Amino acid sequence: MQIDIPDESSKFPAVLMIHGFMSSRNNDNHMLARISKKIVEAGIVAARIDLCSMGENLYSRENYGMKVMTDEVKASFKYLQSLPYVEENNVGLLGHSLGGRLVFTCSTLPAKIIVSLNGAINTSEPLEMAYDKFQMDNLGYCIVHTSSGGVELVYRRFFDELKTTLNDNIKNFKNPILVEVCISDPTLDPNISLNFIKNCHMDNVDSFTVENANHTYNVETGDFTKLNEVIGKVVPWISSHIKLKNQSFV
């Protein structure tokens, strides 16, 4: 876990940030780090982790799946709550892509807020992902090319656990939710988020859309215009909702 702390001596609310599929906390041209910087400037602790076998997480790739990653999110959330400079009852969750699916799945935690950025948040439905079935059947793993240009191995466990971890947990979450979606996302069908916004019938859900941006807001090109647009909306929303004292997890 990497933790960024406001330059003051006090207790702060905190946000735990979860990266996407086959990424890491400092991948995607340091996208989460750039978001973290602005969160901290707003007087909020920002923490981000490397999920199973990614980045500096040394747990074997053979264990990469929704179950272990859900456990990692829950353990990290509880660890954040225990820190002396974190307000125990003021910790939120933010997830990008598969990270969005993870924070929705982990909405059973006492999170103050939940934010999904281009998230695979259709947690009650199978997430369709293309992969080489011949490789999987003959080798037990397949090679995948990530949206950031990386080449990784994925084992059968990941695809199996996408099915066995289906849930409707988010329907019982009562605190504020923010859903952002790039409407021209070529990597993850934007209708996943758009349909949730349209059909969830939850009065605690805010949302906004972004145009002319890919799954990681074009950051791989070195152009941060769209990411900054997202940050400019997400961070003020986080700040205004996570600091509300009359809000409590139900």
Side-chain angles (χ1 to χ4, degrees), residues 175-218:
N175 283 342
I177 300 168
L178 177 62
V179 177
E180 174 277 331
V181 53
C182 290
I183 58 175
S184 57
D185 187 344
T187 302
L188 183 71
D189 185 356
N191 287 309
I192 290 174
S193 291
L194 294 174
N195 287 339
F196 174 81
I197 294 165
K198 179 180 178 181
N199 300 319
C200 69
H201 307 299
M202 298 168 67
D203 59 11
N204 57 326
V205 175
D206 294 324
S207 65
F208 70 96
T209 61
V210 177
E211 297 183 354
N212 303 316
N214 64 18
H215 193 54
T216 52
Y217 314 108
N218 310 331

Side-chain angles (χ1 to χ4, degrees), residues 70-83:
T70 297
D71 287 343
E72 289 176 326
V73 172
K74 290 179 178 179
S76 298
F77 186 93
K78 292 177 182 178
Y79 175 73
L80 262 186
Q81 286 184 304
S82 74
L83 295 176

Side-chain angles (χ1 to χ4, degrees), residues 127-139:
L127 182 60
E128 299 299 327
M129 300 181 70
Y131 65 95
D132 191 321
K133 292 181 173 57
F134 179 84
Q135 286 183 347
M136 186 66 75
D137 291 342
N138 288 274
L139 301 174

Side-chain angles (χ1 to χ4, degrees), residues 21-218:
F21 175 67
M22 291 282 114
S23 187
S24 70
R25 72 181 196 273
N26 287 319
N27 203 352
D28 302 315
N29 211 346
H30 302 279
M31 181 178 69
L32 291 184
R34 296 173 193 277
I35 300 173
S36 175
K37 182 176 184 292
K38 295 301 181 181
I39 290 175
V40 171
E41 289 177 2
I44 302 165
V45 170
R48 56 194 191 275
I49 62 173
D50 286 327
L51 294 169
C52 176
S53 78
M54 303 307 301
E56 294 182 286
N57 188 325
L58 299 181
Y59 203 32
S60 170
R61 177 62 52 80
E62 292 175 299
N63 297 305
Y64 184 84
M66 286 293 293
K67 290 181 180 179
V68 69
M69 290 191 286
T70 297
D71 287 343
E72 289 176 326
V73 172
K74 290 179 178 179
S76 298
F77 186 93
K78 292 177 182 178
Y79 175 73
L80 262 186
Q81 286 184 304
S82 74
L83 295 176
Y85 49 84
V86 169
E87 297 173 355
E88 179 181 0
N89 298 318
N90 242 6
V91 180
L93 292 167
L94 179 153
H96 172 256
S97 190
L98 186 68
R101 193 177 188 88
L102 282 163
V103 300
F104 266 44
T105 296
C106 292
S107 58
T108 53
L109 289 167
K112 193 67 175 290
I113 59 167
I114 286 180
V115 179
S116 166
L117 304 179
N118 288 333
I121 56 177
N122 54 336
T123 58
S124 63
E125 303 171 352
L127 182 60
E128 299 299 327
M129 300 181 70
Y131 65 95
D132 191 321
K133 292 181 173 57
F134 179 84
Q135 286 183 347
M136 186 66 75
D137 291 342
N138 288 274
L139 301 174
Y141 59 82
C142 64
I143 299 171
V144 298
H145 296 267
T146 67
S147 61
S148 62
V151 179
E152 303 286 354
L153 296 182
V154 181
Y155 289 82
R156 188 182 306 278
R157 176 173 180 163
F158 175 78
F159 298 101
D160 289 343
E161 291 188 1
L162 283 175
K163 300 174 184 177
T164 60
T165 56
L166 299 181
N167 67 89
D168 283 320
N169 295 344
I170 198 66
K171 291 183 178 179
N172 297 317
F173 188 77
K174 305 303 181 184
N175 283 342
I177 300 168
L178 177 62
V179 177
E180 174 277 331
V181 53
C182 290
I183 58 175
S184 57
D185 187 344
T187 302
L188 183 71
D189 185 356
N191 287 309
I192 290 174
S193 291
L194 294 174
N195 287 339
F196 174 81
I197 294 165
K198 179 180 178 181
N199 300 319
C200 69
H201 307 299
M202 298 168 67
D203 59 11
N204 57 326
V205 175
D206 294 324
S207 65
F208 70 96
T209 61
V210 177
E211 297 183 354
N212 303 316
N214 64 18
H215 193 54
T216 52
Y217 314 108
N218 310 331

